[in-house]
Amino acid sequence: MTTEDDNRPARRRVTLTGISSRAWEHPADRGALSALRELRGFDDVVKTFFGMWNERGFRLQFLAGAIRVDHRQYPRVYQRFTEAASTLDVAELPELFVSQNPVINGQAIGLERPFIVITTGAVDKLDDDELRALLGHEIGHVRSGHAVYKTIMQILTGWLATISWLPVGVMALRAIIAAMYEWWRKAELSADRAGLLAGQDPAASLRLLMKLAGGGDLSQIDTAAFLEQAAEYEGGGDLRDSLHKIGLTAWSSHPVPVARAAELRKWIDSGEYAQIVAGDYQRRDSDGDASVTEDVKAAAKAYREDFANSQDPLVGLVRRLGGGAADLAGSAAGKAYNWATDAARRGRQDNGGDGTPQA
C-alpha cells in the first residue's frame, strides 16, 4: 500500500528506555491521577465492580465487529504500532482493533486489560508518521492509566441517561462527570505528548491534529494558518465568544483540535520535548518516589499560569477586576493542596505509616 510519506527519508527515533508516563503527563492530568490513586482501594473497587461485565462486553463488541490487528491483519498498522511501543519502551503490546468508521479516531478502553481501537478512517487517511503518532497517543493513554478512568466516565455517562428522572441523582452525577471531563481534556494533552514522543516528528503530530479538524486531505491546508486559527480561538472575540467556548467544551471529553495543536506547540517551545529526546526524563523505577502533594501543587501552578497567561476575553476581564481574582485562584489552589496533603497522610496511616502500599 502506498502512503503519503513513502518518499520522505526515514526519521531516526530515540528509544526512551525506562521512560515513566510521568514524563509526558500534563501537570493537571498528573495531579488528578495522583489524587485518585491516593484513595486507597479505589481502583480495586472500580475494577471489581465494573470489570465483572463491562470490560468483557466492551472487548466482545470489538472482537465480534472489528478487525484485531497483528502481523497478518493490517500489517502496516501493526508495524507502526510496534514502532510506537518500542520507542516508548512498552514491551507488552495491548490488543489493537480497527473498527469500521470513516472518521479519524482512536480510543483506549478497559479496566484490567485495556485495549486500543482505531478507525478505518485513521488507517485510510493517515500517513505512516501520523499513524505512528496516533498509536503512540493511545499507548500513552494506556501507560498513564487513563483507560480505567475513561471507562468509568463512559459508564457514568450511561448512568446519567438511565436516572435522568431523578433530579438529585442527576445533579450529583453531572457534577462528577463535569469534573471528569475537565480531567479528561488534560489527559488528552498528555496523550498528545506521548504521541509526539512515539513518533518524534512534530510536523506529523501537527498534521494529525489538522486532519482531525479538517479531514484527510492537507493539500490545501497550511500549518501556519492552522496555528493562527488556534491563536484566534484562544484570544479573539469578546465575552460572548468566551461564553460560547465554555458551552463548547464543558461537556466535551476532548479539547478542540486547534487548542490541542497550540498546547503541543507550546510544550515543544518550552524545551521539555527536546529535553526528553536528549535522555533527560523521569523513569519508571522512580515512580515510587512520586509525591501526591507535589503533583497537586504542580497542577495548581499550571492552572494559575493558564489563568495568568490566557488571552480569553472573559479571563482577561476577571484578571482586570484586581487582586480578588488572584485571591480566588490562590484559595482554590490552596484547598486542592490541603486536600492532597490530608489524602497522603491518610494513605500513609492506612499503609502502616511508611507510605508503602500493602497487598
Side-chain angles (χ1 to χ4, degrees), residues 16-24 87-90 143 197 276 281-285 287:
L16 303 172
T17 305
I19 190 170
S20 167
S21 62
R22 297 171 59 80
W24 63 68
T87 302
L88 295 177
D89 196 22
V90 175
R143 289 284 297 113
L197 290 170
I276 292 173
Y281 53 81
Q282 293 165 296
R283 285 166 166 77
R284 290 192 290 268
D285 56 14
D287 281 350

Side-chain angles (χ1 to χ4, degrees), residues 250-333:
W251 294 99
S252 173
S253 61
H254 287 58
V256 293
V258 292
R260 290 170 63 180
E263 284 290 336
L264 193 61
R265 184 74 257 173
K266 192 183 303 180
W267 189 62
I268 294 169
D269 292 343
S270 74
E272 290 186 50
Y273 164 68
Q275 181 178 317
I276 292 173
V277 173
D280 184 6
Y281 53 81
Q282 293 165 296
R283 285 166 166 77
R284 290 192 290 268
D285 56 14
S286 66
D287 281 350
D289 300 329
S291 164
V292 64
T293 54
E294 292 302 316
D295 286 343
V296 174
K297 284 170 65 178
K301 179 182 177 184
Y303 276 114
R304 285 198 304 270
E305 289 176 350
D306 284 348
F307 178 81
N309 298 324
S310 175
Q311 300 302 308
D312 182 83
L314 179 59
V315 175
L317 174 63
V318 174
R319 279 202 307 264
R320 288 194 295 274
L321 292 178
D327 292 342
L328 182 62
S331 175

Side-chain angles (χ1 to χ4, degrees), residues 42-357:
F42 177 75
D43 280 359
D44 291 337
V45 170
V46 167
K47 289 178 181 179
T48 300
F49 185 66
F50 291 125
M52 289 185 292
W53 66 89
N54 282 291
E55 183 167 15
R56 287 179 175 273
F58 285 136
R59 182 178 178 275
L60 283 171
Q61 174 186 347
F62 292 101
L63 192 64
I67 301 297
R68 182 164 56 190
V69 175
D70 60 21
H71 65 283
R72 301 161 299 175
Q73 302 197 110
Y74 283 111
R76 169 185 168 244
V77 176
Y78 184 70
Q79 182 63 31
R80 303 293 85 77
F81 190 43
T82 58
E83 290 167 358
S86 176
T87 302
L88 295 177
D89 196 22
V90 175
E92 185 176 350
L93 290 175
E95 280 189 300
L96 173 63
F97 294 90
V98 172
S99 177
Q100 177 67 26
N101 189 323
V103 176
I104 299 170
N105 200 5
Q107 56 182 324
I109 309 170
L111 300 165
E112 192 65 39
R113 294 178 58 194
F115 59 92
I116 293 170
V117 182
I118 66 170
T119 61
T120 50
V123 176
D124 295 339
K125 297 174 182 176
L126 301 181
D127 68 30
D128 285 357
D129 294 331
E130 296 154 4
L131 183 59
R132 192 182 296 110
L134 174 66
L135 292 166
H137 174 107
E138 300 305 331
I139 291 171
H141 277 316
V142 172
R143 289 284 297 113
S144 289
H146 293 155
V148 173
Y149 302 108
K150 181 181 181 182
T151 304
I152 296 168
M153 187 171 71
Q154 289 176 320
I155 293 167
L156 289 175
T157 304
W159 280 9
L160 183 61
T162 303
I163 65 167
S164 58
W165 57 277
L166 288 173
V168 175
V170 168
M171 289 174 61
L173 262 184
R174 279 186 179 275
I176 294 170
I177 293 170
M180 293 194 77
Y181 273 141
E182 165 59 19
W183 159 70
W184 187 254
R185 289 189 291 272
K186 295 300 188 289
E188 284 299 320
L189 301 181
S190 298
D192 284 343
R193 297 175 179 183
L196 172 57
L197 290 170
Q200 296 176 17
D201 185 345
S205 289
L206 288 174
R207 289 200 309 272
L208 169 59
L209 294 169
M210 291 163 69
K211 287 186 175 181
L212 286 172
D217 181 12
L218 298 186
S219 62
Q220 300 185 65
I221 300 176
D222 179 75
T223 302
F226 184 69
L227 291 174
E228 287 173 12
Q229 279 184 239
E232 182 178 343
Y233 174 81
E234 181 178 354
D238 55 24
L239 293 178
R240 292 169 296 181
D241 295 292
S242 297
L243 295 175
H244 280 303
K245 282 190 284 186
I246 292 172
L248 184 65
T249 59
W251 294 99
S252 173
S253 61
H254 287 58
V256 293
V258 292
R260 290 170 63 180
E263 284 290 336
L264 193 61
R265 184 74 257 173
K266 192 183 303 180
W267 189 62
I268 294 169
D269 292 343
S270 74
E272 290 186 50
Y273 164 68
Q275 181 178 317
I276 292 173
V277 173
D280 184 6
Y281 53 81
Q282 293 165 296
R283 285 166 166 77
R284 290 192 290 268
D285 56 14
S286 66
D287 281 350
D289 300 329
S291 164
V292 64
T293 54
E294 292 302 316
D295 286 343
V296 174
K297 284 170 65 178
K301 179 182 177 184
Y303 276 114
R304 285 198 304 270
E305 289 176 350
D306 284 348
F307 178 81
N309 298 324
S310 175
Q311 300 302 308
D312 182 83
L314 179 59
V315 175
L317 174 63
V318 174
R319 279 202 307 264
R320 288 194 295 274
L321 292 178
D327 292 342
L328 182 62
S331 175
K335 288 179 180 178
Y337 173 78
N338 292 336
W339 179 88
T341 303
D342 290 342
R345 177 178 50 78
R346 289 193 299 271
R348 287 192 296 270
Q349 290 172 348
D350 290 342
N351 293 324
D354 62 354
T356 303

